[in-house]
Amino acid sequence: MTREELEQARGDHALVVDSAGDPVGELEAIYYDDETGEPAWVGVRTASEPQRRMLAPVEGAELAGESVQLAHERVAVEASGAVEAESIDAEAEAGLRDHYGLPPELVRYEEELEVGTRPEEAGAVRVRKSVESDSVEQHVPREVEHAELEHVPVDGEDSGLVETLPDGSISIPVFEEELVVTKRLVVRERVIVRKETQVEQETVIADVRREQVEIDADDGIAVESDLA
């Protein structure tokens, strides 16, 4: 099985079955080889009580539908010994390989020649640049707005204000003077009337009555009178 397949199965908590197809438990962990970085053991949480994590070899395991099928029987897996640690040392791994009958792991080393280079200044390069002008003709589309005038007669009352129509057009009122004829009374001149009093002599004939007084006195009584 590939690393990707194992990781996908672990993320899905896939069922682990033995070589006969009998369920062993749930895939819980993957143990990688410290030298090669490849998956070497799978940690299986057993379904039988008490539940514990058992390690089984990745070697010989394969996908069986949505399950991971081991190359060993359930009895061998459950007899391998519980491991709850997230890593195992060389001694524990050697014991597991011996339990499952796997050959001892032999790591062969060899020297590898690494050849590299280092930068060293060999000289300088000077770069000069010049600017040349080229005449380029290119047709570029551009939008040009044209104004269209439409004279609309006024029907009824009009506000006389500039208005924006729903289509974005602008309605501008046009004014003209209207001749209005009216009549009014004005004073053109005044007439002055003067009064003059004249004295005229007229002859008036009328009867004027005058009273006369006569005084009678007894003898021996003197009467003084200034009546004329």
Side-chain angles (χ1 to χ4, degrees):
M1 292 184 66
T2 64
R3 176 198 298 260
E4 293 74 17
E5 290 173 337
L6 279 173
E7 289 291 350
Q8 180 65 41
R10 183 182 65 85
D12 296 338
H13 304 284
L15 174 66
V16 179
V17 298
D18 66 359
S19 57
D22 295 329
V24 179
E26 179 184 291
L27 180 57
E28 186 177 68
I30 302 173
Y31 292 77
Y32 291 89
D33 188 285
D34 293 336
E35 298 293 336
T36 64
E38 294 297 323
W41 306 91
V42 291
V44 183
R45 178 66 60 179
T46 61
S48 60
E49 297 294 341
Q51 291 186 351
R52 56 203 184 281
R53 180 190 292 182
M54 315 300 291
L55 299 190
V58 173
E59 182 180 346
E62 60 183 9
L63 283 176
E66 297 182 355
S67 303
V68 176
Q69 186 169 20
L70 302 176
H72 301 272
E73 296 181 353
R74 174 180 176 181
V75 175
V77 176
E78 292 181 346
S80 64
V83 177
E84 297 295 339
E86 298 302 323
S87 62
I88 57 175
D89 55 21
E91 182 180 354
E93 185 172 12
L96 286 171
R97 298 185 71 85
D98 182 64
H99 171 74
Y100 286 105
L102 301 177
E105 187 177 37
L106 177 62
V107 181
R108 184 177 65 85
Y109 297 93
E110 68 177 11
E111 291 184 343
E112 185 180 79
L113 181 63
E114 292 185 1
V115 179
T117 61
R118 64 176 182 178
E120 184 175 338
E121 184 177 353
V125 177
R126 295 178 177 84
V127 179
R128 294 184 177 88
K129 66 176 182 179
S130 60
V131 179
E132 297 181 356
S133 299
D134 293 332
S135 179
V136 178
E137 180 179 350
Q138 184 175 357
H139 296 284
V140 179
R142 65 188 182 95
E143 294 183 355
V144 179
E145 293 185 347
H146 296 277
E148 179 181 347
L149 298 181
E150 179 183 0
H151 295 272
V152 179
V154 176
D155 185 12
E157 295 294 331
D158 193 283
S159 64
L161 302 176
V162 177
E163 300 176 352
T164 301
L165 303 181
D167 62 352
S169 303
I170 299 177
S171 176
I172 302 175
V174 178
F175 296 90
E176 66 176 6
E177 290 185 342
E178 183 180 64
L179 184 61
V180 179
V181 178
T182 59
K183 296 189 297 181
R184 64 189 183 93
L185 293 176
V186 297
V187 179
R188 295 301 182 189
E189 63 181 9
R190 286 182 175 274
V191 177
I192 301 174
V193 179
R194 292 185 177 87
K195 296 188 298 181
E196 185 179 76
T197 303
Q198 296 181 354
V199 179
E200 296 180 353
Q201 297 292 330
E202 291 187 3
T203 301
V204 179
I205 300 174
D207 294 333
V208 177
R209 293 183 301 174
R210 178 180 299 173
E211 294 181 346
Q212 297 292 331
V213 178
E214 292 180 1
I215 300 173
D216 293 332
D218 294 335
D219 294 337
I221 297 174
V223 178
E224 295 182 3
S225 173
D226 56 0
L227 298 175

Short mmCIF file of all heavy atoms in Angstrom, two decimals, residues 10-11 56 70 119:
data_model
loop_
_atom_site.label_atom_id
_atom_site.label_comp_id
_atom_site.label_asym_id
_atom_site.label_seq_id
_atom_site.Cartn_x
_atom_site.Cartn_y
_atom_site.Cartn_z
N ARG A 10 -6.45 5.74 7.33
CA ARG A 10 -6.38 6.14 8.74
C ARG A 10 -7.34 7.29 9.03
O ARG A 10 -8.02 7.32 10.06
CB ARG A 10 -4.95 6.56 9.10
CG ARG A 10 -4.77 6.92 10.57
CD ARG A 10 -3.35 7.37 10.85
NE ARG A 10 -3.05 8.61 10.15
CZ ARG A 10 -3.34 9.83 10.63
NH1 ARG A 10 -3.95 9.94 11.80
NH2 ARG A 10 -3.03 10.89 9.94
N GLY A 11 -7.41 8.26 8.10
CA GLY A 11 -8.35 9.37 8.28
C GLY A 11 -9.79 8.91 8.29
O GLY A 11 -10.64 9.51 8.95
N ALA A 56 0.89 -4.20 13.34
CA ALA A 56 0.96 -5.23 12.31
C ALA A 56 1.78 -4.68 11.15
O ALA A 56 1.77 -3.48 10.88
CB ALA A 56 -0.43 -5.63 11.84
N LEU A 70 -4.64 -7.35 6.16
CA LEU A 70 -3.27 -7.67 6.54
C LEU A 70 -2.86 -9.01 5.92
O LEU A 70 -3.69 -9.80 5.48
CB LEU A 70 -3.16 -7.75 8.06
CG LEU A 70 -3.57 -6.47 8.83
CD1 LEU A 70 -3.51 -6.73 10.33
CD2 LEU A 70 -2.69 -5.30 8.45
N PRO A 119 30.11 30.44 -6.47
CA PRO A 119 30.28 31.60 -7.35
C PRO A 119 31.63 32.26 -7.11
O PRO A 119 32.10 32.37 -5.98
CB PRO A 119 29.11 32.51 -6.94
CG PRO A 119 28.81 32.12 -5.55
CD PRO A 119 29.11 30.66 -5.43
#
